[in-house]
Amino acid sequence: MTSVTDPAGFPEDRNTGHRRSRAVSIAAMPVTVASYEPSSDPGRMRTQQLGHLLFITTEAGPRCYTRDLREIARGTRQAEGFFVVAVMGATGAVVQQDGRTVEVPAGAVSFWYTETPHVVDYPDGVDVRVCLLPRRAFGVRDEQLERVTATVADAGGPVAALVKQSLLTLVETAKDCPGLVAGRLACNFADLVATLVTEQASRDAPATGDSRHTRIREIHAYVDRHLKEPDLGPRTIAAAHGISVRSLHKLFEGEGTTVSRLIQRRRLQATAQALTRKDSGDSTVSGVAQRWGFTDPAHFSRLFRASYGISPSQWRDTLGGTEPSDPRDTRGPVSR
């Protein structure tokens, strides 16, 4: 399957940034696209399916692509998140994710993950080929994935060279592959990328950081299991893991967030998801908020608006109970 998405093909949207955001959303998932040159050529995007993988070629003027908490929550109606491996063309990019910022030079291989807020900035123009790999079918551990987001693959490594050449070849030839061959090629390429991620994660892992990463991963899982408990906080988490509150806070130094902010962010994501579903039980905003651990409705509303730009009731009335016919959300976000 091959399609070419031209943002200029949406004449009903006078805002060119909105047109670009909508075009990218149709081709992949909800994002916000901002241009350095509002009157420039909107650019072109080509997508090709290969088995369970999606390849995207994008060429455009200087752009900045942002996927924030609101767009991630809107994308919960998709079946899954995607791990992205990108090969830069004649221009480079700046990728920000998980508290890291990396400059990706022209011709280099980089990574990011669609279900964590991120920014991909192309100040000199967009010339990139990417592959979206479904997270559920991508055989790497969560901590390995977290270590490689917003990093550049070792340019001199043989695995990175294989991934780069394979991606550039498949993005041009996927349309010509019969179904059975496409499926085998997709699995082989996914395995090759997983090998590169494993190699990269091992290279970038701190010498004594394995136990720390394991403990942090355990705490994230504990938070997700106990989100609905109003008393969930640093004290209860520290007690459950046999450490002091001070040690817990020290553990999160360098993570780009605090324990309390982690809990708050996950609760906001959970309420945003619940408000978009028909089967969310109590459909009132206060009922959903209380179910996910927010005891003060007014405080919850302020936090929600600060994170998503609209009130919880506006979010529910706009998105609640709507299901797109395609697993990819075809409505782009409002450009900000």
Side-chain angles (χ1 to χ4, degrees):
M1 177 187 72
T2 303
S3 63
V4 177
T5 303
D6 184 351
F10 300 102
E12 71 276 19
D13 294 323
R14 294 184 178 181
N15 184 300
T16 56
H18 190 183
R19 288 204 305 271
R20 296 184 188 106
S21 299
R22 187 174 173 191
V24 176
S25 299
I26 287 174
M29 63 202 64
V31 296
T32 295
V33 185
S35 174
Y36 287 92
E37 304 168 4
S39 61
S40 66
D41 182 348
R44 295 180 70 80
M45 176 182 294
R46 185 177 75 251
T47 65
Q48 297 192 81
Q49 197 82 30
L50 181 75
H52 61 289
L53 307 182
L54 180 66
F55 290 87
I56 304 176
T57 300
T58 306
E59 298 172 349
R63 303 277 190 274
C64 184
Y65 298 81
T66 302
R67 183 162 161 82
D68 60 18
L69 289 173
R70 179 181 180 183
E71 284 134 0
I72 291 170
R74 290 186 60 187
T76 57
R77 288 168 291 167
Q78 298 175 176
E80 57 207 336
F82 296 92
F83 180 75
V84 182
V85 55
V87 175
M88 301 300 161
T91 61
V94 178
V95 180
Q96 300 177 32
Q97 189 167 44
D98 293 337
R100 291 186 291 269
T101 300
V102 63
E103 293 187 11
V104 187
V109 177
S110 187
F111 318 94
W112 57 89
Y113 181 49
T114 64
E115 299 311 289
T116 304
H118 59 276
V119 177
V120 185
D121 190 12
Y122 300 91
D124 298 318
V126 185
D127 182 13
V128 65
R129 280 77 179 156
V130 307
C131 178
L132 276 62
L133 300 95
R135 179 66 186 93
R136 64 171 173 80
F138 187 50
V140 297
R141 300 195 303 272
D142 288 344
E143 66 268 23
Q144 291 176 318
L145 185 149
E146 291 166 3
R147 288 177 188 171
V148 304
T149 54
T151 65
V152 177
D154 180 10
V159 182
L162 281 171
V163 167
K164 176 179 177 178
Q165 188 56 53
S166 297
L167 193 155
L168 293 176
T169 299
L170 290 174
V171 79
E172 297 298 332
T173 61
K175 64 180 182 298
D176 300 321
C177 293
L180 183 59
V181 174
R184 292 293 296 273
L185 281 175
C187 290
N188 290 339
F189 182 73
D191 287 342
L192 186 59
V193 175
T195 301
L196 177 59
V197 169
T198 301
E199 178 186 71
Q200 183 86 358
S202 176
R203 181 175 67 90
D204 292 341
T208 60
D210 285 345
S211 60
R212 175 178 174 274
H213 281 284
T214 299
R215 181 57 63 91
I216 289 176
R217 182 160 47 87
E218 291 171 349
I219 291 171
H220 275 259
Y222 181 89
V223 167
D224 286 343
R225 290 196 305 270
H226 296 270
L227 274 181
K228 294 183 179 181
E229 300 174 9
D231 62 346
L232 178 66
R235 289 186 180 278
T236 58
I237 294 172
H241 290 81
I243 59 177
S244 67
V245 174
R246 181 177 180 180
S247 296
L248 177 65
H249 289 313
K250 188 173 182 61
L251 193 64
F252 271 73
E253 289 180 359
E255 288 297 298
T257 189
T258 64
V259 178
S260 297
R261 287 176 181 172
L262 169 66
I263 296 169
Q264 183 184 98
R265 174 168 56 85
R266 293 295 296 119
R267 281 177 169 162
L268 286 170
Q269 290 174 338
T271 55
Q273 293 174 22
L275 289 170
T276 63
R277 294 196 297 263
K278 293 179 179 179
D279 58 347
S280 59
D282 187 347
S283 61
T284 66
V285 169
S286 60
V288 171
Q290 186 173 18
R291 189 164 70 252
W292 287 102
F294 289 103
T295 57
D296 184 341
H299 179 60
F300 163 70
S301 293
R302 288 194 297 271
L303 289 175
F304 194 98
R305 182 182 287 276
S307 295
Y308 295 110
I310 59 176
S311 70
S313 57
Q314 289 173 318
W315 178 276
R316 178 199 57 197
D317 295 341
T318 302
L319 300 177
T322 58
E323 294 291 339
S325 57
D326 187 272
R328 295 181 218 129
D329 192 350
T330 58
R331 297 170 301 161
V334 177
S335 181
R336 296 185 292 279

